[in-house]
Amino acid sequence: MTTADPGLEPVAVPAVEGLPKDSRTLFSVPLVLAQFFVLFSILTPVVVALSIKLTTIVPPEEVAGAQGLVGGLTALCSIIATPIVGNLSDRTRSRFGRRRPWLIGGVLLGTAALFVVGTANTVLLVLLGSILAGVGFNATAAAIGGLYADRVPTKWHGRVGALIGVATNFAAIAGAAIATLLAPNIVLIFVIPGILAIVVVAILAAVIKDSKDDVQGVERFSFGQVFKSFTWPVRQSHDFTVNLVSRFLIWMGYTAIIAFQALLFIQHFGIAPTEVAGYLLAATGLSGIATLVGSVGGGWITDKTDKRRGFVIFSGLLMGAALVIYAFAPTVEFAIGAGVLIGLGLGVYLAVDLALATRLIPDPRFTGRYMGIVQLASNLPQSIMPFLAPLLLAIGAAQAGPNFLLLFVVAGVLSIVGALVMLLMRSTR
């Protein structure tokens, strides 16, 4: 029996159990690699290249505001696009299947837009290119999220989710590495990640078992579905809702260090813009190793024990505490050390939260839509924090520079609250 409105209520149909799973390593490996290179293309501008690019366009005192404007509006457009694309891909009927068109189309648009950003000489062009790049790559990411929920066997969710999570941090490392390697050619720093993403996403598109038959029994997309792309059955899906709130708060905290670590190194610790990529490479490299340890260990343990909630709470608390320590860092080396703890907490979090969110999806027929909403909970902070951070940095700012202490203390508290919200979840698993 189905409900009258599957967009607002869960579908109680025992026969609907999602699509056949794909246990081939040939599928899981390119899925993880595609996630890595898509994030590589998204994070390289955010972590390194955008700050460097803007320092060549506007005076130093205007960089934080310009970066907040570009990062905030880009993330805002991306969060609007991601659930809609997920909903569209659930219903796409084409000879190439329902996920392939969005995988390929998104990465092509994103790479072309990165070229615009790399060659821009005004903040407006940087903004327009960044928005198009964010929409394109997040469209591809939404399709990858749908494939993860559709095709990866449940017993592998922790391990594959952990590797997808590790891709986030190692994409930032790769961004710092390519910036160091290709500096001072800013155009190549923007474009090379996109070209690599095109190659890997094309390989994924070639190996997935995805056809137009996957949408049999699913209604076509309509303008009414645009609104429904952002809704879910809140009352009937209490734990799904709690997980979204927790995810939002934890990512609010972590976004502060993603977006403003380069600026901290330049303006607080006095690192020259031409040298900051090297410091970021060291910071993200050490943090990435910790993330790998936390992800692989956390993913393996949670798959064996089938318990997720406790690990989310632990990782959120660890990230929050480490962000507070980061706020009081007296030297760049101390900050890098605190970043290692943040990376460890992030690793454990990424290993379990994606698997938990997948389990809590209200309707398995619309995995793309609901994974888009899950992605929304982590993308929304990337829109809010770039606008909030300059306000926090300005409070009490004096000759010593922006108030980075306040920014990272607030980020830590948000992550801690996000972890504690998980105590409201009814399931203990």
Side-chain angles (χ1 to χ4, degrees), residues 79-330:
I79 65 174
I80 292 172
T82 301
I84 294 175
V85 169
N87 207 345
L88 279 167
S89 68
D90 285 337
R91 294 168 169 80
T92 298
R93 295 167 169 85
S94 79
R95 60 182 297 186
F96 303 108
R98 60 177 185 166
R99 308 294 186 197
R100 284 190 188 90
W102 302 100
L103 286 170
I104 299 298
V107 76
L108 290 176
L109 172 62
T111 301
L114 285 179
F115 177 77
V116 173
V117 177
T119 57
N121 55 12
T122 66
V123 174
L124 178 60
L125 279 177
V126 171
L127 174 62
L128 293 176
S130 182
I131 287 173
L132 289 176
V135 169
F137 285 118
N138 276 284
T140 299
I144 291 172
L147 286 170
Y148 169 80
D150 288 343
R151 303 297 184 180
V152 176
T154 303
K155 64 180 180 180
W156 288 9
H157 273 173
R159 280 163 282 188
V160 176
L163 292 174
I164 288 176
V166 168
T168 302
N169 207 270
F170 275 85
I173 298 172
I178 200 168
T180 303
L181 180 65
L182 298 178
N185 195 324
I186 192 69
V187 176
L188 290 182
I189 294 175
F190 278 99
V191 174
I192 293 298
I195 294 174
L196 295 174
I198 290 173
V199 174
V200 178
V201 169
I203 294 172
L204 173 62
V207 302
I208 60 176
K209 294 179 179 179
D210 185 36
S211 74
K212 63 183 179 181
D213 294 333
D214 290 343
V215 295
Q216 294 299 318
V218 177
E219 68 273 19
R220 291 181 181 273
F221 190 86
S222 65
F223 285 107
Q225 292 290 342
V226 173
F227 171 74
K228 290 180 180 178
S229 297
F230 299 91
T231 65
W232 68 93
V234 176
R235 291 183 182 178
Q236 299 89 337
S237 305
H238 174 270
D239 286 357
F240 183 76
T241 304
V242 169
N243 188 63
L244 288 179
V245 173
S246 172
R247 187 180 182 90
F248 169 80
L249 291 171
I250 289 175
W251 276 99
M252 274 289 288
Y254 185 66
T255 297
I257 194 171
I258 292 178
F260 287 91
Q261 183 170 240
L263 198 62
L264 172 76
F265 286 5
I266 293 171
Q267 295 194 355
H268 183 68
F269 292 121
I271 308 299
T274 55
E275 300 176 3
V276 73
Y279 282 88
L280 288 172
L281 178 59
T284 54
L286 292 173
S287 177
I289 293 172
T291 299
L292 178 62
V293 172
S295 292
V296 174
W300 185 83
I301 293 172
T302 56
D303 276 346
K304 291 295 184 182
T305 62
D306 196 31
K307 293 189 180 295
R308 319 281 186 186
R309 187 183 72 159
F311 286 90
V312 173
I313 295 173
F314 166 77
S315 59
L317 291 175
L318 177 58
M319 290 173 65
L323 278 164
V324 173
I325 295 173
Y326 188 91
F328 290 92

